């Protein structure tokens, strides 16, 4: 009945990574090798450069694995009333780049591009739906994606449009089983004009047998990860009709559901909590858990689905 690969049940270890960053190969400010070094120095185990319409792999460095990624923007011009906006897709785990030119993309739909990504052995993630101002009908063109960016550091620091948890819930409530990714989409890598740096602000913690590109990618596509901008999710157990989560100290823990399911935990005195249990009495569609710490930093589990027809 339950449909959820629990990363906290699995074998292996946790590995930290970001699968959306830009380099000087397109519009990022650092070279691919500088970006890789920066993430390694900040404790990251894996990295996916996702430059615009170009597959870029930095030189190998100790302790860092690269997941081949590419960001593909797909114009919505073929849909009346949607021009000149674009849907951006992050291709993850591709065996070769797509490298599409604007002319080649003129007649392509998001479905076409997702198919091309899958043909290259990869998966697609819907990037920054909030900043892209996507309607639910436009997002549903991307139902072939394995997930969406519930957090995007670049658009959070630039425009306060990084958090897309409502977009995520809207897709799930249309029976589209999306995973939720916290990705940097890093461009500048430095603090300037009073803006925060756009790197190392959002990441995924992946449960994997080993630190190889294949194992990390396979864990990602199975949803064996959680996303964070700060808090640690330490454990998640499902025992009968009880879901218990343990976290680093946070201000709030929310169980988000549908149709009056879910619950919000916090202390009235503003103090911190580090665990919460939600007891459900009826299967609906899903529950997903998000928590927020005293600095406003967040973490998200992937959704626990209660319905079989979400495939
Ligand atoms: Zn983008
Ligand atoms: Zn990007």
């Amino acid at each position: 009945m339950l449909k959820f690969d629990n990363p906290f049940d699995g074998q292996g270890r946790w590995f930290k990574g970001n699968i959306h960053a830009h380099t000087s190969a397109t519009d990022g400010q650092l070279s691919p090798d500088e970006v890789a070094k920066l993430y390694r120095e900040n404790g990251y185990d894996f990295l996916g450069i996702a430059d615009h319409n170009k597959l870029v792999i930095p030189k190998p460095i100790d302790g860092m694995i690269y997941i081949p990624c590419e960001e593909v923007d797909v114009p919505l011009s073929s849909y009346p009333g949607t021009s000149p906006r674009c849907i951006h897709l992050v291709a993850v785990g591709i065996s070769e780049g797509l490298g599409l030119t604007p002319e080649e993309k003129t007649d392509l739909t998001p479905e076409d591009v997702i198919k091309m990504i899958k043909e290259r052995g990869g998966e697609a993630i819907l990037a920054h739906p909030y900043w892209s101002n996507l309607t639910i009908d436009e997002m549903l063109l991307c139902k072939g994606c394995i997930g969406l960016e519930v957090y995007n550091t670049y658009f959070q620091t630039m425009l306060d449009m990084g958090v897309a948890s409502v977009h995520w819930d809207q897709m799930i409530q249309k029976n589209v089983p999306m995973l939720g990714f916290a990705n940097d989409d890093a461009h500048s890598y430095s603090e300037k004009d009073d803006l925060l740096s756009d790197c190392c602000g959002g990441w995924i913690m992946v449960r994997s047998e080993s630190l190889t590109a294949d194992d990390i990618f396979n864990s990602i596509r199975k949803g064996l990860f959680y996303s964070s901008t700060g808090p640690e999710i330490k454990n998640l157990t499902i025992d009968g009709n009880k879901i218990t989560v343990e976290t680093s100290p946070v201000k709030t823990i929310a169980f988000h559901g549908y149709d009056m399911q879910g619950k919000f935990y916090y202390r009235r005195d503003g103090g911190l909590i580090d665990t919460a249990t939600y007891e459900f009495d009826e299967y609906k569609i899903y529950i997903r858990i998000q928590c927020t710490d005293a600095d406003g930093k967040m973490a998200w589990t992937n959704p626990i689905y209660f319905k079989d027809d979400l495939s």
Side-chain angles (χ1 to χ4, degrees), residues 149-176:
E149 287 181 346
V150 64
Y151 184 81
N152 179 293
T153 307
Y154 179 61
F155 288 116
Q156 183 57 34
T157 53
M158 291 280 287
L159 295 164
D160 192 19
M161 295 179 85
V163 180
S165 50
V166 174
H167 299 74
W168 193 10
D169 288 328
Q170 284 184 316
M171 287 292 267
I172 300 168
Q173 289 165 15
K174 290 286 185 184
N175 280 356
V176 181

Side-chain angles (χ1 to χ4, degrees), residues 20 22 50 52 71 88 128 185 187:
H20 187 174
H22 294 278
H52 300 284
E71 184 169 19
H88 289 203
H128 46 66
D185 197 1
H187 285 75

Side-chain angles (χ1 to χ4, degrees), residues 11-44:
Q11 301 292 311
R13 294 194 290 128
W14 293 104
F15 297 99
K16 180 177 183 176
N18 169 42
I19 50 173
H20 187 174
H22 294 278
T23 76
S24 53
T26 59
D27 61 349
Q29 308 228 312
L30 297 180
S31 72
D33 296 342
E34 287 170 329
V35 171
K37 185 164 172 278
L38 185 153
Y39 276 100
R40 184 69 201 118
E41 286 171 355
N42 280 278
Y44 283 62

